[in-house]
Amino acid sequence: MIKRTCLIVDNEDQTEEIEKLVRDARNQGIDLDCQQFEVGNTSYLEVLSSGKIDLAKVEFEVKRRYKNIVFDIIAFDYELDDEEINGVELLRNFNKKRIFKYSPKLVYSGVLDNVLKDIIEPSLDILKLKNKPDKAIIKQEGLVKIKSLIRHRVFEYLDRDNRDAIIIKFLKEEIQSTELIVTQALRMYPEFKFENNFVNDNFQGKTFAEVADLLDNDDKLGSEFKREIIQQVVSYLTEKI
């Protein structure tokens, strides 16, 4: 049975839904550890200021609660019961702050059609063409919003009713990125240290957690680490042949 992890970000309590998701995943051969992060819930004051979502508090709390956990997938509810912050804005902030940098993300909504209409309808215009029928177009501001959704690496937008089935399908079939696999392995043993194993001095004597932080926050050093790991694996396999 494969082991997988999942985080659901929602303003409503997802306890019952998560219990069912875990059972369904087990039936598909997946040992799923699924947790919830209650952003926007008025009873969860740790991430609110004056009843509104405080992004700085969200960042602090998510790092505190899920330190050294790297999730295989993160699902954001679009409606977080906040006038200014929705699931896409929260996801955008996660990416900006490099929170769960390598974890695939999806956004779900009980009113997904309305979400798309809110983006597209105000941006629709009619282009008058000479000797041709009028053509409906989307204004630049609408295109910017749509491109923003794509740019922030959301692999799926879906209705709430389809969320759990898509999560299970993804966890069962999707090939994980090398970066995700490596950071997950490092954060499982955060206090272990690399000693006398690296040519690159940047990694000598650092704990696994410190190297995982480098992967998350320094793209150049992260690439160097991956390159050296691959070289060491090839060297090890060559010695065994």
Side-chain angles (χ1 to χ4, degrees):
M1 185 170 290
I2 60 175
K3 292 183 178 294
R4 292 288 185 263
T5 55
C6 170
L7 179 65
I8 293 179
V9 182
D10 203 302
N11 63 303
E12 298 180 357
D13 182 19
Q14 297 292 298
T15 301
E16 292 186 7
E17 289 82 355
I18 288 175
E19 289 176 353
K20 182 178 184 302
L21 174 60
V22 170
R23 289 195 302 270
D24 291 344
R26 181 168 289 276
N27 291 335
Q28 295 291 322
I30 301 170
D31 181 8
L32 180 61
D33 176 12
C34 187
Q35 303 190 38
Q36 63 176 319
F37 188 37
E38 308 91 336
V39 177
N41 191 326
T42 54
S43 63
Y44 186 47
L45 300 177
E46 288 86 344
V47 298
L48 304 178
S49 292
S50 302
K52 300 296 182 181
I53 295 174
D54 185 321
L55 292 177
K57 289 185 176 180
V58 170
E59 179 183 357
F60 175 84
E61 187 64 15
V62 76
K63 289 180 177 179
R64 183 191 71 82
R65 286 182 62 171
Y66 307 114
K67 182 180 180 180
N68 289 324
I69 299 177
V70 182
F71 292 100
D72 289 298
I73 190 170
I74 303 175
F76 293 79
D77 184 17
Y78 184 86
E79 299 88 21
L80 297 175
D81 198 24
D82 189 283
E83 294 178 357
E84 298 182 4
I85 305 296
N86 58 41
V88 172
E89 291 299 322
L90 190 60
L91 185 153
R92 182 180 293 119
N93 184 257
F94 273 39
N95 287 339
K96 179 181 177 181
K97 299 295 184 178
R98 293 175 174 252
I99 301 171
F100 303 126
K101 178 181 176 181
Y102 301 114
S103 299
K105 302 170 182 71
L106 63 82
V107 175
Y108 61 91
S109 170
V111 287
L112 185 61
D113 288 346
N114 291 342
V115 172
L116 297 177
K117 287 178 182 178
D118 287 344
I119 294 175
I120 296 174
E121 285 186 350
S123 303
L124 286 177
D125 201 357
I126 301 297
L127 178 65
K128 299 288 185 178
L129 298 173
K130 187 176 181 179
N131 299 325
K132 292 183 179 180
D134 294 346
K135 182 179 180 181
I137 62 172
I138 300 177
K139 296 178 183 177
Q140 184 62 31
E141 56 265 33
L143 293 175
V144 168
K145 290 181 179 179
I146 294 171
K147 289 178 180 179
S148 176
L149 299 181
I150 298 171
R151 184 173 64 252
H152 288 286
R153 291 176 287 181
V154 182
F155 86 88
E156 185 77 77
Y157 294 89
L158 60 150
D159 289 323
R160 176 181 286 270
D161 290 344
N162 297 328
R163 182 195 69 186
D164 293 357
I166 292 296
I167 288 175
I168 292 175
K169 185 176 185 296
F170 176 88
L171 294 176
K172 189 174 181 180
E173 299 178 0
E174 191 71 12
I175 298 175
Q176 296 172 296
S177 70
T178 302
E179 293 86 353
L180 181 64
I181 294 171
V182 170
T183 52
Q184 282 180 328
L186 291 173
R187 294 196 184 279
M188 284 178 65
Y189 309 100
E191 304 302 323
F192 284 24
K193 285 188 177 182
F194 288 103
E195 297 178 355
N196 302 319
N197 294 318
F198 283 93
V199 174
N200 192 319
D201 292 336
N202 287 307
F203 310 120
Q204 293 286 6
K206 292 191 179 298
T207 66
F208 283 20
E210 287 172 333
V211 174
D213 289 340
L214 285 177
L215 288 172
D216 287 340
N217 298 307
D218 190 317
D219 293 333
K220 182 179 178 180
L221 282 177
S223 296
E224 291 178 8
F225 178 80
K226 287 183 290 182
R227 184 178 296 109
E228 184 151 350
I229 284 290
I230 291 172
Q231 289 173 346
Q232 289 202 29
V233 169
V234 171
S235 176
Y236 174 80
L237 293 174
T238 303
E239 290 177 1
K240 294 296 183 181
I241 293 176

